[in-house]
Amino acid sequence: MGTTASCITIAPQRLMNAPVPLPTCTPEHLNSPPSESSSSAARLLLRRFLHTTRGDPSAAQRLLELNYGLRNKHAHIFIDRDPLDDSSQQLLQVADLVPLPGLTPENNKLLFYRLIDFDADKFNFTAAIKVFFMVADCRFATEDEERLSDGEIPVFDMAGYTLRHLTKTALGALRVYMKFVQEAHPVRLKEIHVLNCPSFVDKVMAVVKPFIKGEVFKLIHFHLPGAETPYRHFPRSMLPEEYGGEAGKMSDLKLQWMQLLKEQRDYLMDSENWQINKAKKNGQRKSSDAGVTKSLRTLEID
């Protein structure tokens, strides 16, 4: 697995030689004259890519290109979106997708996902994927650049998940999700924890495993209902009160993120933040590449 996470605001022009078979292109933010806020967001985003690749500007640039290439190839997930539309709001009434506050002793970020309404007829898999990336994009646009996590630890609570939910899986959206988080997401995936595993977890994995890289599958830890084994990997205190932790009530944590989605709505919906411009001339592409590489190297020196 390369790096895993999600990317966000870029106001100066980004470089984008989109991945094959997309044409040569350039992300708009990295070259257009930035406002103060967009310039700060762009710097933060570039720093995250550089941080994810352990300070390698060339690797950060390649990751950035892949990230934006996939976004543009699958615009129905990454660009045509609105956190306040009916499908997103319905999903947020059915599920919690909440980055938890603080970092583990190993400097990793916990991300918690669970169902809160177990009616499978209300569950929209593609909407869940879109909201997942909107939350990630908000986080990367607003996080404290002095406290970037070393890695990410997603925690999935399967309580209430049924075989009927499994039938709702949209394989096309699943394929895009898996490719993006395993190859283009600017984070380092450390572990994956699945809580309250049901007896049919093997059936779930039969659907999901074909899309999971071998090295990523090795990071998955399955935990039975009521097991204490998760807390060998991260402090229970970091979890919400409902799980015996000290992070506060899940409902309060979620409200904070729903408010952030609302505040960042214009940013998320502005296609210029996510689309890439095709460079008709090779010289244009080289100029863009040079500009982004220079920005990454400047961050490396800071």
Side-chain angles (χ1 to χ4, degrees), residues 14-69:
R14 305 178 222 219
L15 97 105
M16 264 285 147
N17 176 14
V20 185
L22 296 180
T24 302
C25 46
T26 325
E28 227 152 280
H29 311 55
L30 292 178
N31 285 324
S32 54
S35 64
E36 182 177 352
S37 59
S38 65
S39 177
S40 173
R43 178 183 174 86
L44 183 58
L45 181 61
L46 289 174
R47 183 175 291 283
R48 166 160 282 283
F49 276 90
L50 191 63
H51 175 75
T52 300
T53 57
R54 302 189 184 280
D56 184 337
S58 296
Q61 181 169 315
R62 290 192 299 271
L63 181 62
L64 182 64
E65 292 177 357
L66 178 58
N67 184 292
Y68 272 77

Coordinates of all heavy atoms in Angstrom, one line a residue, residues 14-69:
R14 N -2.2 23.4 -8.7 CA -1.5 22.1 -8.4 C -1.0 21.6 -9.7 O -1.4 21.9 -10.7 CB -2.5 21.1 -7.8 CG -3.2 21.7 -6.7 CD -4.1 20.7 -6.2 NE -5.3 21.4 -5.9 CZ -6.0 21.2 -4.8 NH1 -5.7 20.2 -4.1 NH2 -7.1 21.8 -4.6
L15 N -0.2 20.7 -9.6 CA 0.3 20.2 -10.8 C -0.5 19.0 -11.3 O -0.8 18.4 -10.8 CB 1.7 19.7 -10.5 CG 1.7 18.3 -10.3 CD1 2.4 17.7 -11.5 CD2 2.5 17.9 -9.1
M16 N -0.9 18.6 -12.2 CA -1.5 17.3 -12.3 C -1.3 16.7 -13.6 O -1.9 17.0 -14.6 CB -3.0 17.4 -12.2 CG -3.6 17.1 -10.9 SD -3.6 15.5 -10.5 CE -3.4 15.8 -8.9
N17 N -0.4 15.9 -13.7 CA -0.3 15.0 -14.9 C -1.1 13.8 -14.5 O -0.7 12.9 -13.9 CB 1.2 14.6 -15.1 CG 1.3 13.7 -16.3 OD1 0.4 13.6 -17.0 ND2 2.4 13.1 -16.4
A18 N -2.4 13.9 -14.9 CA -3.3 12.8 -14.4 C -2.8 11.5 -14.8 O -2.2 11.3 -15.8 CB -4.7 13.1 -15.1
P19 N -3.2 10.5 -14.0 CA -2.7 9.1 -14.2 C -3.3 8.6 -15.5 O -4.3 9.0 -16.0 CB -3.2 8.3 -13.1 CG -4.2 9.2 -12.4 CD -4.0 10.6 -12.9
V20 N -2.6 7.7 -16.1 CA -3.0 7.0 -17.3 C -4.4 6.4 -17.1 O -4.6 5.9 -16.0 CB -2.0 5.9 -17.7 CG1 -2.4 5.3 -19.0 CG2 -0.6 6.5 -17.7
P21 N -5.4 6.5 -18.0 CA -5.2 7.0 -19.3 C -5.6 8.5 -19.4 O -5.9 8.9 -20.5 CB -6.1 6.1 -20.1 CG -7.2 5.9 -19.2 CD -6.7 5.8 -17.8
L22 N -5.7 9.2 -18.3 CA -6.2 10.6 -18.4 C -5.1 11.5 -19.1 O -3.9 11.2 -19.0 CB -6.5 11.2 -17.0 CG -7.6 10.5 -16.3 CD1 -7.8 11.1 -14.9 CD2 -8.9 10.6 -17.1
P23 N -5.5 12.6 -19.7 CA -4.6 13.4 -20.4 C -3.8 14.3 -19.4 O -4.2 14.4 -18.3 CB -5.4 14.3 -21.3 CG -6.8 14.2 -20.7 CD -6.9 12.9 -20.0
T24 N -2.7 14.8 -19.9 CA -1.9 15.7 -19.1 C -2.8 16.8 -18.6 O -3.5 17.4 -19.3 CB -0.8 16.3 -19.9 OG1 0.0 15.2 -20.4 CG2 0.1 17.2 -19.0
C25 N -2.7 17.1 -17.3 CA -3.5 18.1 -16.7 C -2.9 18.8 -15.5 O -1.9 18.4 -15.0 CB -4.8 17.5 -16.3 SG -4.6 16.0 -15.4
T26 N -3.5 19.9 -15.1 CA -3.0 20.7 -13.9 C -4.1 21.1 -13.0 O -5.1 21.7 -13.4 CB -2.4 22.0 -14.4 OG1 -1.8 21.7 -15.7 CG2 -1.4 22.4 -13.5
P27 N -4.0 20.8 -11.7 CA -5.0 21.2 -10.7 C -5.0 22.7 -10.6 O -4.0 23.3 -10.6 CB -4.6 20.6 -9.4 CG -3.6 19.6 -9.8 CD -3.1 20.0 -11.1
E28 N -6.2 23.3 -10.7 CA -6.3 24.7 -10.8 C -5.7 25.5 -9.6 O -5.1 26.5 -9.8 CB -7.7 25.1 -10.9 CG -7.8 26.0 -12.0 CD -8.9 26.2 -12.9 OE1 -9.0 25.4 -13.8 OE2 -9.5 27.2 -12.7
H29 N -5.9 25.0 -8.4 CA -5.6 25.7 -7.2 C -4.1 26.1 -7.2 O -3.7 27.1 -6.6 CB -5.8 24.9 -6.0 CG -7.1 24.4 -5.9 ND1 -7.7 23.6 -6.9 CD2 -8.1 24.5 -5.0 CE1 -8.9 23.2 -6.6 NE2 -9.1 23.7 -5.4
L30 N -3.3 25.3 -7.7 CA -1.8 25.5 -7.4 C -1.3 26.6 -8.3 O -0.1 26.9 -8.2 CB -1.0 24.2 -7.6 CG -1.4 23.2 -6.5 CD1 -0.6 21.9 -6.7 CD2 -1.1 23.8 -5.1
N31 N -2.0 27.1 -9.2 CA -1.5 28.2 -10.1 C -2.3 29.5 -10.1 O -1.7 30.5 -10.4 CB -1.3 27.7 -11.5 CG -0.2 26.8 -11.7 OD1 0.8 26.9 -11.0 ND2 -0.3 25.8 -12.5
S32 N -3.6 29.4 -9.7 CA -4.3 30.6 -9.7 C -3.9 31.5 -8.6 O -3.5 31.0 -7.5 CB -5.8 30.3 -9.7 OG -6.1 29.5 -8.5
P33 N -4.1 32.8 -8.7 CA -3.7 33.7 -7.6 C -4.5 33.4 -6.3 O -5.7 33.5 -6.4 CB -4.0 35.1 -8.1 CG -4.0 35.0 -9.6 CD -4.5 33.6 -9.8
P34 N -3.9 33.0 -5.2 CA -4.6 32.5 -4.1 C -5.1 33.7 -3.1 O -4.4 34.6 -3.0 CB -3.6 31.6 -3.4 CG -2.3 32.2 -3.7 CD -2.5 32.8 -5.1
S35 N -6.2 33.5 -2.5 CA -6.6 34.4 -1.4 C -5.8 33.9 -0.2 O -5.1 32.9 -0.2 CB -8.1 34.3 -1.1 OG -8.4 32.9 -0.7
E36 N -5.9 34.7 0.9 CA -5.1 34.3 2.1 C -5.5 33.0 2.6 O -4.7 32.1 3.0 CB -5.3 35.4 3.2 CG -4.5 35.1 4.4 CD -4.6 36.2 5.5 OE1 -5.2 37.3 5.1 OE2 -4.1 36.0 6.6
S37 N -6.9 32.7 2.7 CA -7.4 31.5 3.2 C -7.0 30.3 2.3 O -6.7 29.2 2.7 CB -8.9 31.6 3.4 OG -9.5 31.8 2.2
S38 N -7.2 30.5 1.0 CA -6.9 29.4 0.0 C -5.4 29.1 0.0 O -5.0 28.0 -0.2 CB -7.4 29.8 -1.4 OG -6.7 30.9 -1.9
S39 N -4.6 30.1 0.1 CA -3.2 29.9 0.2 C -2.8 29.1 1.4 O -2.0 28.2 1.3 CB -2.4 31.3 0.2 OG -1.0 31.1 0.3
S40 N -3.4 29.4 2.5 CA -3.1 28.6 3.7 C -3.6 27.1 3.6 O -2.9 26.2 4.0 CB -3.9 29.2 4.9 OG -3.8 28.4 6.1
A41 N -4.8 27.0 3.0 CA -5.3 25.6 2.7 C -4.4 24.8 1.8 O -4.1 23.6 2.0 CB -6.7 25.7 2.2
A42 N -3.9 25.5 0.7 CA -3.0 24.9 -0.2 C -1.7 24.4 0.4 O -1.3 23.3 0.2 CB -2.8 25.8 -1.4
R43 N -1.2 25.3 1.2 CA 0.0 25.0 1.9 C -0.2 23.8 2.8 O 0.7 22.9 2.9 CB 0.5 26.2 2.7 CG 1.8 25.9 3.5 CD 2.2 27.1 4.3 NE 3.3 26.8 5.2 CZ 4.6 26.9 4.8 NH1 4.9 27.3 3.6 NH2 5.6 26.6 5.7
L44 N -1.3 23.8 3.6 CA -1.6 22.7 4.5 C -1.7 21.4 3.7 O -1.3 20.3 4.2 CB -2.9 23.0 5.2 CG -3.3 22.0 6.3 CD1 -2.2 21.8 7.4 CD2 -4.6 22.5 7.0
L45 N -2.4 21.4 2.6 CA -2.6 20.2 1.8 C -1.3 19.7 1.3 O -1.0 18.5 1.3 CB -3.6 20.5 0.7 CG -3.9 19.2 -0.2 CD1 -4.5 18.1 0.6 CD2 -4.8 19.6 -1.4
L46 N -0.5 20.6 0.7 CA 0.8 20.1 0.2 C 1.7 19.6 1.3 O 2.4 18.6 1.1 CB 1.5 21.3 -0.5 CG 0.9 21.8 -1.8 CD1 1.6 23.1 -2.3 CD2 1.1 20.7 -2.9
R47 N 1.6 20.2 2.5 CA 2.4 19.7 3.6 C 1.9 18.3 4.0 O 2.7 17.4 4.3 CB 2.3 20.6 4.8 CG 3.1 20.2 6.0 CD 3.1 21.2 7.1 NE 3.8 22.4 6.8 CZ 5.1 22.5 6.8 NH1 5.9 21.5 7.1 NH2 5.7 23.7 6.5
R48 N 0.6 18.0 3.9 CA 0.1 16.7 4.2 C 0.7 15.6 3.2 O 1.1 14.6 3.6 CB -1.4 16.6 4.2 CG -2.0 15.2 4.2 CD -3.4 15.2 4.7 NE -3.5 15.3 6.2 CZ -3.2 14.2 7.0 NH1 -2.8 13.1 6.5 NH2 -3.3 14.4 8.3
F49 N 0.7 16.0 2.0 CA 1.2 15.0 1.0 C 2.7 14.8 1.2 O 3.2 13.7 1.1 CB 1.0 15.6 -0.4 CG -0.4 15.2 -1.0 CD1 -1.4 16.1 -0.8 CD2 -0.6 14.1 -1.7 CE1 -2.7 15.8 -1.3 CE2 -1.9 13.8 -2.2 CZ -2.9 14.6 -2.0
L50 N 3.4 15.8 1.6 CA 4.8 15.7 1.8 C 5.1 14.9 3.1 O 6.0 14.1 3.2 CB 5.5 17.1 1.9 CG 7.0 17.2 2.0 CD1 7.6 16.7 0.6 CD2 7.5 18.6 2.2
H51 N 4.2 15.2 4.1 CA 4.4 14.4 5.4 C 4.1 12.9 5.1 O 4.8 12.1 5.7 CB 3.3 15.0 6.4 CG 3.3 14.3 7.7 ND1 4.2 14.4 8.6 CD2 2.3 13.4 8.2 CE1 3.9 13.6 9.7 NE2 2.7 13.0 9.4
T52 N 3.1 12.6 4.3 CA 2.7 11.2 4.1 C 3.8 10.5 3.4 O 4.0 9.3 3.6 CB 1.4 11.2 3.2 OG1 0.4 11.8 3.9 CG2 1.0 9.7 2.9
T53 N 4.5 11.2 2.5 CA 5.6 10.5 1.8 C 7.0 10.7 2.5 O 8.0 10.6 1.8 CB 5.7 11.1 0.3 OG1 5.8 12.5 0.4 CG2 4.4 10.7 -0.4
R54 N 6.9 11.1 3.7 CA 8.1 11.2 4.6 C 9.2 12.2 4.0 O 10.4 11.9 3.9 CB 8.8 9.8 4.8 CG 7.8 8.9 5.5 CD 8.5 7.6 6.0 NE 7.5 6.6 6.5 CZ 7.0 6.7 7.8 NH1 7.3 7.7 8.6 NH2 6.1 5.8 8.2
G55 N 8.6 13.3 3.5 CA 9.5 14.4 3.0 C 10.1 14.2 1.6 O 11.0 15.0 1.3
D56 N 9.6 13.3 0.9 CA 10.1 13.1 -0.5 C 9.2 13.9 -1.5 O 8.1 13.5 -1.8 CB 10.0 11.6 -0.9 CG 10.6 11.3 -2.2 OD1 10.7 12.2 -3.1 OD2 11.0 10.1 -2.4
P57 N 9.7 15.0 -2.0 CA 8.9 15.8 -2.9 C 8.4 15.1 -4.2 O 7.3 15.3 -4.6 CB 9.8 17.0 -3.3 CG 10.8 17.0 -2.2 CD 11.0 15.6 -1.8
S58 N 9.3 14.3 -4.7 CA 8.9 13.6 -6.0 C 7.8 12.6 -5.7 O 6.8 12.5 -6.5 CB 10.1 12.9 -6.6 OG 11.1 13.8 -7.0
A59 N 7.9 11.9 -4.6 CA 6.8 10.9 -4.2 C 5.5 11.7 -3.9 O 4.4 11.2 -4.2 CB 7.3 10.1 -3.0
A60 N 5.6 12.8 -3.2 CA 4.4 13.6 -2.9 C 3.8 14.1 -4.1 O 2.5 14.1 -4.2 CB 4.9 14.8 -2.0
Q61 N 4.5 14.5 -5.1 CA 4.0 15.0 -6.4 C 3.2 13.8 -7.1 O 2.1 14.0 -7.6 CB 5.1 15.5 -7.3 CG 4.6 16.1 -8.6 CD 5.6 16.9 -9.3 OE1 6.3 17.7 -8.8 NE2 5.8 16.6 -10.6
R62 N 3.8 12.6 -7.1 CA 3.2 11.5 -7.8 C 1.9 11.1 -7.1 O 0.9 10.8 -7.7 CB 4.1 10.3 -7.8 CG 5.3 10.5 -8.7 CD 6.0 9.1 -8.9 NE 6.6 8.6 -7.7 CZ 7.8 8.9 -7.2 NH1 8.6 9.7 -7.9 NH2 8.2 8.3 -6.1
L63 N 1.9 11.2 -5.7 CA 0.7 10.9 -5.0 C -0.4 11.9 -5.2 O -1.6 11.6 -5.4 CB 1.0 10.8 -3.5 CG -0.1 10.5 -2.5 CD1 -0.7 9.1 -2.8 CD2 0.3 10.6 -1.1
L64 N 0.0 13.2 -5.3 CA -0.9 14.2 -5.6 C -1.6 14.0 -7.0 O -2.8 14.2 -7.2 CB -0.2 15.6 -5.6 CG -1.0 16.9 -5.8 CD1 -2.1 17.0 -4.7 CD2 -0.1 18.1 -5.8
E65 N -0.8 13.7 -8.0 CA -1.3 13.4 -9.3 C -2.3 12.3 -9.3 O -3.3 12.4 -10.0 CB -0.1 13.1 -10.3 CG 0.8 14.3 -10.5 CD 2.0 13.9 -11.4 OE1 2.1 12.7 -11.8 OE2 2.8 14.8 -11.7
L66 N -2.0 11.2 -8.7 CA -2.9 10.1 -8.6 C -4.2 10.4 -7.9 O -5.3 10.1 -8.4 CB -2.2 8.9 -7.9 CG -3.1 7.6 -7.8 CD1 -3.5 7.1 -9.1 CD2 -2.3 6.5 -7.0
N67 N -4.0 11.2 -6.8 CA -5.2 11.6 -6.0 C -6.2 12.4 -6.9 O -7.4 12.1 -7.0 CB -4.7 12.4 -4.8 CG -5.8 12.8 -3.9 OD1 -6.7 13.6 -4.3 ND2 -5.8 12.3 -2.7
Y68 N -5.7 13.4 -7.6 CA -6.5 14.2 -8.4 C -7.0 13.5 -9.7 O -8.1 13.8 -10.2 CB -5.9 15.6 -8.7 CG -6.2 16.5 -7.6 CD1 -5.5 16.4 -6.4 CD2 -7.2 17.5 -7.7 CE1 -5.8 17.3 -5.3 CE2 -7.5 18.3 -6.6 CZ -6.8 18.2 -5.4 OH -7.1 19.0 -4.4
G69 N -6.2 12.7 -10.2 CA -6.6 11.9 -11.4 C -7.8 11.0 -11.1 O -8.8 11.0 -11.8

